[in-house]
């Protein structure tokens, strides 16, 4: 039971002290996603740059959102896990989070990959809450895809 309590504290801490919240001007794509089940909303911006090896790098993720503590905390955790990392690594983390959310509480989360996102393991037992936790991750995936497509379009001659 102590682990569940610790996970609840992590979620509440990210909810009360969100990381990356507030829309910033330098961005390559912006999306707005809504969870129609409960009304949670997020507007998310992503800025993609180039890593030292030239591969796409997540320079920034900024967002404005409203909704439950789960969706708010998940956006904060997402920010921590993807900013400053290669897009490919951020996508691997996103897929690991998606797998955790689809596990119905049966998966053993990889703390090395998911860090604070392991706190959402218990959420996966509640189908109605899974959409809350995934809202920001789906918005990030959408925005990143749009930003990469725009960048590819700008480099074509």
């Amino acid at each position: 039971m102590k682990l569940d309590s610790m996970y609840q504290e992590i979620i509440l801490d990210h909810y009360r002290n969100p990381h990356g919240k507030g829309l910033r001007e330098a961005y390559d794509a912006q999306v707005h996603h809504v969870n129609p089940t409960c009304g949670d909303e997020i507007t998310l911006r992503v800025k993609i740059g180039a890593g030292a090896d030239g591969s796409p790098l997540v320079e920034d993720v900024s967002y404005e959102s409203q909704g439950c503590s789960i969706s708010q905390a998940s956006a904060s955790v997402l920010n921590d896990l993807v900013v400053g990392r290669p897009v490919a690594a951020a996508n691997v983390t996103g897929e690991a989070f998606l797998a955790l959310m689809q596990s119905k509480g049966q998966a053993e989360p990889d703390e090395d990959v998911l860090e604070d996102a392991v706190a959402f393991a218990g959420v996966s037992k509640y189908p109605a809450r899974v959409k809350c936790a995934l809202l920001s991750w789906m918005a990030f995936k959408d925005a990143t895809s749009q930003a990469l497509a725009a960048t590819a379009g700008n480099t074509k001659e």
Side-chain angles (χ1 to χ4, degrees):
M1 197 62 165
K2 286 185 179 187
L3 191 58
D4 286 343
S5 177
M6 182 185 77
Y7 284 172
Q8 288 175 352
E9 282 302 313
I10 290 170
I11 291 171
L12 287 174
D13 185 52
H14 276 279
Y15 172 67
R16 292 178 186 133
N17 306 294
H19 304 167
K21 193 163 186 173
L23 294 173
R24 288 180 283 287
E25 283 305 313
Y27 64 95
D28 295 311
Q30 174 178 300
V31 298
H32 182 79
H33 282 214
V34 177
N35 179 351
T37 306
C38 65
D40 291 352
E41 294 185 40
I42 188 166
T43 300
L44 184 138
R45 292 177 175 173
V46 66
K47 174 77 174 143
I48 303 293
D53 63 356
S55 65
L57 180 78
V58 180
E59 283 188 1
D60 190 34
V61 172
S62 63
Y63 62 94
E64 278 298 329
S65 58
Q66 60 185 40
C68 69
S69 61
I70 302 268
S71 69
Q72 301 288 305
S74 186
S76 176
V77 169
L78 174 137
N79 182 274
D80 286 354
L81 291 176
V82 302
V83 172
R85 295 190 177 166
V87 169
N91 288 337
V92 167
T93 302
E95 289 302 317
F97 189 74
L98 176 61
L100 176 64
M101 289 298 96
Q102 293 175 334
S103 75
K104 298 181 179 167
Q106 302 303 309
E108 188 64 39
D110 185 344
E111 197 167 340
D112 291 336
V113 173
L114 293 173
E115 299 176 20
D116 276 359
V118 299
F120 293 88
V123 172
S124 70
K125 297 175 191 173
Y126 306 98
R129 304 313 304 243
V130 167
K131 288 183 181 180
C132 301
L134 286 174
L135 182 65
S136 59
W137 292 87
M138 295 301 108
F140 171 74
K141 184 176 181 179
D142 186 12
T144 302
S145 176
Q146 289 182 29
L148 291 173
T151 302
N154 290 338
T155 59
K156 290 182 182 175
E157 295 180 22

